[in-house]
Amino acid sequence: MGEIAALSTACCWAVAARLFRQLGASFSPLALNFWKGLVAILILLPLTWAMPMQAELSQMDIFWLLLSGVIGIGLGDTCFFQSLNKIGDSQSLLVAETLAPIFTALLAMAWIAEWLNWQQWLGIALVILSVDMVIKLNRRDQTQIFEATGYVYAALAALCQAVGAVISRDILTSTGIDAANASQIRLLGGMAIIVLLMLGMRQRWLPKTDNPRRTWMVFGAATLIGTFAALYLQMVAFTYTKAAVVQTLFATSVILSLGIAWLLKERIHRQALLWSLLALVGVAILVGADSLSAAI
């Protein structure tokens, strides 16, 4: 069940990333994150009312869930939207979703002393090499504008995603909280930091657009798919499957994004596709070695 939820999440992200990229011309990254979070909270309210929280959470448990939302949703999604504006959905997903499992493994090693074996280091090397090659291919492509900061934002999004994943997995498994209520608490944490940042930076709250109706329709579809559905499915995945495995399955959004670009008849560098596939092989080796070592 967890694996199916993770693959469904990856599909949601691939579709939503394309829609959110279109919205980048109208919303600032913070404003887009604010509105999608607000709508997701409102959509989740009937679910949380219909399914009251059965688990008993301590103040510390709530704090950690809020913190995971601050980092994973508030900061991580904002960095990801900034990356979408600079390098597009395929490149952003490639960097963010292939680096996230690596960051997850490294964070686990640092925080709970889970050291990596040579197979896992091999997987990390393959992913880093593949991402580096795709970035270089994109830089040589004269039909696109190379934005180095876009890749930095994508990497920061991956780091925030990894931290949020580790914290969420810990709380979900230790408390037994359901996915809907966990998602709601995380969203509240994300919204808190977004509002503070927007007030502090004096960001514009409403979009600049010549066609408000179309903009809000695209926004509604992107939020329904990429925030409400994806966040709920993400919590289901973390409830039933190990965090590293879930992050690996999330990485398939890279291939799904390239598939969407192909369907839309966009130009895809053949070597970039091959390196993307190799990056996913590296992620699979990393998690496969982790599962094998756990079994031993």
Side-chain angles (χ1 to χ4, degrees):
M1 182 175 180
E3 290 81 0
I4 295 175
L7 288 171
S8 300
T9 303
C11 184
C12 288
W13 281 350
V15 175
R18 175 63 55 133
L19 297 175
F20 281 128
R21 181 186 178 185
Q22 296 179 27
L23 295 169
S26 302
F27 292 86
S28 70
L30 276 172
L32 183 56
N33 208 1
F34 168 79
W35 285 107
K36 81 167 182 61
L38 180 62
V39 172
I41 288 174
L42 294 176
I43 294 175
L44 273 174
L45 276 177
L47 281 177
T48 53
W49 282 338
M51 298 184 298
M53 186 166 53
Q54 301 296 323
E56 293 186 5
L57 298 183
S58 66
Q59 290 185 348
M60 189 57 65
D61 293 331
I62 295 174
F63 167 78
W64 282 113
L65 271 179
L66 288 171
L67 182 63
S68 75
V70 168
I71 298 173
I73 298 174
L75 301 179
D77 285 1
T78 300
C79 287
F80 185 71
F81 291 151
Q82 190 72 267
S83 175
L84 286 176
N85 290 344
K86 292 181 177 295
I87 59 176
D89 55 307
S90 296
Q91 296 293 308
S92 296
L93 285 170
L94 171 68
V95 177
E97 298 307 324
T98 52
L99 290 183
I102 294 175
F103 288 147
T104 301
L106 294 176
L107 286 170
M109 182 177 66
W111 289 353
I112 55 177
E114 287 184 353
W115 299 97
L116 302 179
N117 55 38
W118 70 267
Q119 294 99 329
Q120 291 168 320
W121 284 117
L122 174 62
I124 288 176
L126 281 176
V127 173
I128 293 175
L129 173 64
S130 301
V131 171
D132 180 65
M133 289 303 300
V134 171
I135 292 173
K136 288 179 178 177
L137 285 170
N138 186 63
R139 191 171 189 174
R140 290 199 302 263
D141 190 349
Q142 299 301 314
T143 65
Q144 299 183 25
I145 299 176
F146 179 77
E147 284 275 6
T149 54
Y151 293 95
V152 174
Y153 279 118
L156 288 173
L159 179 59
C160 292
Q161 186 182 88
V163 174
V166 172
I167 296 174
S168 298
R169 169 69 176 168
D170 181 33
I171 299 300
L172 284 164
T173 55
S174 63
T175 66
I177 185 175
D178 61 278
N181 282 286
S183 300
Q184 190 75 295
I185 295 173
R186 292 190 73 226
L187 279 167
L188 291 173
M191 287 291 288
I193 188 64
I194 292 167
V195 170
L196 289 175
L197 288 172
M198 290 194 69
L199 291 174
M201 300 172 66
R202 298 183 179 180
Q203 291 276 309
R204 180 184 175 89
W205 296 86
L206 295 175
K208 292 181 179 179
T209 175
D210 296 329
N211 192 340
R213 182 179 179 181
R214 181 183 181 279
T215 297
W216 285 109
M217 286 180 64
V218 174
F219 167 81
T223 300
L224 183 64
I225 297 169
T227 302
F228 169 67
L231 187 60
Y232 180 80
L233 290 167
Q234 183 185 45
M235 292 297 96
V236 173
F238 283 130
T239 300
Y240 294 101
T241 308
K242 291 181 179 180
V245 175
V246 171
Q247 289 290 0
T248 302
L249 295 175
F250 287 168
T252 60
S253 60
V254 177
I255 303 303
L256 294 172
S257 177
L258 291 174
I260 292 172
W262 178 77
L263 289 174
L264 294 175
K265 301 185 184 304
E266 295 181 4
R267 183 178 182 274
I268 301 176
H269 204 300
R270 184 174 298 178
Q271 293 184 37
L273 178 59
L274 294 175
W275 284 110
S276 300
L277 291 172
L278 184 60
L280 291 181
V281 170
V283 172
I285 291 174
L286 173 63
V287 178
D290 178 67
S291 300
L292 180 61
S293 62
I296 295 175

